[in-house]
Amino acid sequence: EIVMTQSPATLSVSPGERATLSCRASQSVGTNLAWYQQKPGQAPRLLIYSASTRAIGIPARVSGSGSGTEFTLTINSLQSEDFSIYYCQQYNSWPPAWTFGQGTKVEIK
Amino acid sequence: QPQLQESGPGLVKPSETLSLNCTVSGDYMTTSIHYWGWIRQSPGKGLEWIGSLHYSGSTTDYNPALKSRVTIAADTSKNQFSLKLKSVTAADSAVYYCASQLSGEFDHWGQGILVIVSS
């Protein structure tokens, strides 16, 4: 099983500043990586797939980068709706054994 | 864009079978651009992929950790796909989500349904 490790567990950021979230895979997943945002009581929402492609409706201030085992989600100019939990997910393993990270909570500083 | 909605009992007894349905809006279930999957979320284990079904119904993939207990199937006449998880224990208590997939990423999610395993 590919283990996904996210850091930090909690990130305190002031509105208007930048948040940088990390996700590390226990083995290479190429660019088969997605990022999700989850707000309390809601389902996760796809933000990024293929490591760096924004999903429909996701603003340009949200970006993803990385390949192999190291990935980053960057959110510029944090707005109130950005304070939530973020998960990464790999979908490289075959046969499929897709796994998620444990999440990073972005909170207001 | 597809909309998904989970349905089923919110309480299941230990050792019994958890059965959930996911209803998909429109004609998306027969399109070739989607897989259909189940994911669960519990406080102890976070997000866990359970399994996925190809739109044709011909291929299913399951989480190796759950494979012996899981069945996912489609009923395209009802625009539904289902999840059956047998021999449940308290560890299977979670919010269960159905979702559509493009390749491996889950692009549309249902709202989720809380299932508690308890006698």
Side-chain angles (χ1 to χ4, degrees), chain A residues 1 32 34 36 38 41-46 48-50 56 87 89-91 94-102, chain B residues 1 35 39 41 46-49 51-52 61-65 97 101-112:
Chain A
E1 174 181 301
N32 293 312
Y36 302 86
Q38 186 177 32
Q42 296 184 17
R45 177 176 71 147
L46 178 66
I48 299 285
Y49 62 96
S50 298
I56 295 171
Y87 295 94
Q89 176 229 338
Q90 67 81 17
Y91 49 95
W94 194 264
W98 300 311
T99 49
F100 293 83
Q102 81 280 15
Chain B
Q1 299 183 13
Y35 288 77
I39 306 101
Q41 186 172 32
L47 287 163
E48 181 178 31
W49 170 70
S52 297
D61 296 299
Y62 299 125
N63 184 325
Y97 296 101
Q101 292 178 262
L102 291 174
S103 51
E105 72 276 16
F106 299 96
D107 59 338
H108 295 94
W109 297 63
Q111 67 184 27

Side-chain angles (χ1 to χ4, degrees), chain A residues 25-101:
Chain A
S26 60
Q27 63 190 77
S28 177
V29 298
T31 56
N32 293 312
L33 184 109
W35 289 94
Y36 302 86
Q37 176 192 48
Q38 186 177 32
K39 297 181 180 181
Q42 296 184 17
R45 177 176 71 147
L46 178 66
L47 299 176
I48 299 285
Y49 62 96
S50 298
S52 61
T53 302
R54 277 185 295 275
I56 295 171
I58 304 304
R61 58 192 181 81
V62 177
S63 62
S65 63
S67 64
T69 61
E70 301 284 343
F71 300 88
T72 301
L73 177 70
T74 302
I75 309 171
N76 291 308
S77 302
L78 273 164
Q79 301 181 7
S80 57
E81 61 265 30
D82 298 325
F83 293 97
S84 50
I85 300 176
Y86 295 84
Y87 295 94
C88 61
Q89 176 229 338
Q90 67 81 17
Y91 49 95
N92 188 68
S93 49
W94 194 264
W98 300 311
T99 49
F100 293 83

Side-chain angles (χ1 to χ4, degrees), chain B residues 40 66-71 84-89 92:
Chain B
R40 68 183 183 181
L66 300 170
K67 186 174 184 177
S68 63
R69 299 194 290 132
V70 175
T71 302
K84 293 188 186 299
L85 179 66
K86 62 183 182 182
S87 305
V88 297
T89 69
D92 295 309

